Amino acid sequence: MQSLENTMLITDLDGTLLPASKEISVADAAAISQFRAKGGKFAIATGRTLQAAQRYLKKLQPNIPVILFNGAAIYDPVAEKWLYTEELPPEAAAITRQVLEAFPDVSAEILRTDGTYVSRMTPYEKEHLEICQVEPILAMPEEIPHGWLKVLFAIAPERMPDLIAYFQEQNWTCADFVQSEARFYEMLPKGVTKGSALRRYRTICGAESWHIVAAGDFDNDLDMLRVADTSACPSNAQPCIKEITNIQLMHSCEENAIAELIYRLSKSLEVHNMDEMTKKKLQATACRIRMGVIEGTYHAKSGHPGGSLSICDTLTYLYFAKMHVDPKNPEMADRDRLVLSKGHCAPALYSTLAERGFFPKEELQSLRHIGALLQGHPCIHIPGVDMSSGSLGQGISAACGMALAGKMDNAAYKVYTILGDGEIEEGQVWEAAMFANQYHLDNLVAIVDNNGLQIDGKLSEVCSPEPIPEKFEAFGWHVIRMDAHNFDAIDAAMQEAETIVGKPVAIIQKSVKGKGVSFMENQVGWHGKAPNQAEYEQAMAELTAQLKEPVSYTHLRA
């Protein structure tokens, strides 16, 4: 049985998992059970209270925390505790009272962690409570204690435009408002959405390296779908949802859409899972490339080993399993291109090219020497180097030009560029990002090496560009998160990038600066310092031990 242990599936309930009957189908329940059995992490994201969601939690048995109140709370059903709540401001009571007075036919449901309060019972409200199987507490807004997480206004669908227009006229700014169904309008804490909760979820629940798949069908799911690594929707989803999702399912919520999604995820895993021999070969190659980085910087007595070591696995995959290149014909017209935008990490690129056969490995020992082939930053005259680089921010611009040229020539090649997370503090990066979106450069893949450290210290303390994924998404890119040191994850990310049409792809790889050498890992001092003889010997000994059983290597793409 193949594992889905790095995959999280989070789905909306009503209209996505739940059909009109509000009962989970046998097929969907079985698919979710199988997903968990394969190691998958399953959760729901709903506007419901804990009480209203409880029967579904019992049936579905999520094995990770869930999002409730449309993002105002994160609850752990396994530990039975609240991990996070965001409350409405005190003004919410006055707003609710005013709406009830202005609309005699509207009901107000005030939701707290301890239950559901109702200020006016209407036929729509009564029906909703029966569907949710919730026993309400009847009370007027001023009688309900603080700690409100959400207010749900229910009104006839034909009256909904009037209610929305009223809210817009009042221009209340202390909270956010969203329509969640044809007859429901919600008041939520400022900035709270299912998407904001999912962003917080990554940190609270240790989900930074998980591949998050989200499914939804309505307006209130939009932000969650944008935040997820992969988004999906049933066939009954609103047009605005279909426009932004990666996967549009053939089936509706009435026809087991979630079972279809889980089937697709399982099939995708079969494609992405590398065989063990291939992984061993790649791991051995990456280890030898790291040894080349240490060799080069030691003999140069200068250079940048830290950031070079963090990208060795990615370069290994690209040059030995992905890119169409030929060391015997390095300038062939139909080759895939790579621009090392973080050009100071040239030792990693040089070591990779030497391992691939573009020039002898002995050249690494003359790195940065006067008159030598390999200088401190990539130079286009070096076999295998597609672009001179080093001035931070400029490499991605050159990559955009290459990708646009490929489009104009109807060429099949891909252009890859690797940037540092400190590098993207440069404004030119975002000009290039805007350009790539404008010209729909779906033959461009930008890989951001997110190791969290730059020359002056921690990224978060110097000039943080976070949230990086959301920034690229805002510029119109398809974003993929990736573990930079897991070849299954790298393979899956690169395969996903191949499926994207009409927009450029940004892969945000979580990496470790100095990866592979114990005393260099996560140490900012190794950004631009060469090892001395003792450090060189220790580093080479550690890498030699990691190499274990060297495996003969042939290029996988051939």
Side-chain angles (χ1 to χ4, degrees), residues 54 72 77 83 100 122 130 132 149 179 261 267 307 319 397 410 421 429 437 441 451 476 510 528 533 539 545 550:
Q54 198 64 259
L83 303 182
L100 289 170
T122 65
E130 289 174 352
C132 293
L149 301 182
Q179 184 179 1
L261 175 57
K267 294 299 288 183
Y319 279 93
S397 296
N410 293 316
D421 51 4
V429 169
N437 176 57
L441 301 182
N451 61 42
K510 190 65 179 175
Q533 184 169 346

Side-chain angles (χ1 to χ4, degrees), residues 221-244:
D221 299 316
L222 270 170
D223 196 32
M224 175 178 72
L225 296 171
R226 290 192 178 108
V227 170
D229 300 304
T230 301
S231 56
C233 68
S235 63
N236 57 282
Q238 289 183 306
C240 64
I241 297 293
K242 292 181 178 179
E243 286 176 6
I244 63 112

Side-chain angles (χ1 to χ4, degrees), residues 49 143 231 299 346 382 442 447 502:
T49 64
E143 300 170 337
S231 56
H299 284 92
I382 299 171
D442 52 10
I447 302 164

Side-chain angles (χ1 to χ4, degrees), residues 3 36 38 99-100 131 189 192 210 245 275 287 321 353-354 359 363 378 381 424 427 503:
S3 174
R36 291 198 319 272
K38 288 184 176 182
V99 173
L100 289 170
I131 290 172
V192 163
W210 298 353
T245 49
D275 65 86
C287 194
L353 294 174
F359 47 78
E363 292 286 351
H381 71 272
I424 65 172
K503 58 172 64 177

Side-chain angles (χ1 to χ4, degrees), residues 290-443:
R290 286 190 168 93
M291 294 173 80
V293 169
I294 299 301
E295 192 76 37
T297 53
Y298 167 68
H299 284 92
K301 307 305 179 188
S302 64
H304 298 79
S308 294
L309 293 170
S310 68
I311 61 172
C312 287
D313 297 308
T314 303
L315 287 170
T316 298
Y317 181 88
L318 287 172
Y319 279 93
F320 290 85
K322 188 66 177 174
M323 290 172 59
H324 176 49
V325 294
D326 183 358
K328 296 178 181 178
N329 186 13
E331 295 184 13
M332 64 180 183
D334 63 343
R335 73 189 186 282
D336 291 328
R337 276 85 164 152
L338 184 135
V339 178
L340 186 64
S341 197
K342 49 180 283 183
H344 56 283
C345 294
L349 178 60
Y350 294 158
S351 184
T352 303
L353 294 174
E355 187 71 28
R356 188 70 176 85
F358 281 89
F359 47 78
K361 292 183 182 180
E362 288 73 21
E363 292 286 351
L364 298 174
Q365 295 183 359
S366 60
L367 174 66
R368 288 178 170 244
H369 291 194
I370 294 174
L373 175 67
L374 307 179
Q375 291 304 310
H377 292 78
C379 295
I380 201 166
H381 71 272
I382 299 171
V385 173
D386 291 305
M387 185 65 199
S388 300
S389 61
S391 183
L392 295 178
Q394 294 186 1
I396 186 175
S397 296
C400 284
M402 293 177 182
L404 182 60
K407 284 281 189 184
M408 295 173 70
D409 291 342
N410 293 316
Y413 63 75
K414 281 274 192 183
V415 181
Y416 298 89
T417 182
I418 300 178
L419 302 95
D421 51 4
E423 177 186 2
I424 65 172
E425 295 164 6
E426 297 280 355
Q428 185 168 343
V429 169
W430 302 104
E431 294 176 12
M434 185 164 48
F435 178 92
N437 176 57
Q438 173 68 28
Y439 290 97
H440 309 290
L441 301 182
D442 52 10
N443 56 343

Side-chain angles (χ1 to χ4, degrees), residues 3 50 56 111 174 199 213 240 301 304 446 454 495-496:
S3 174
L50 175 59
Y56 301 114
L111 308 180
C174 62
R199 290 186 188 94
V213 181
C240 64
K301 307 305 179 188
H304 298 79
Q454 57 187 113
Q495 296 290 351
E496 181 179 337

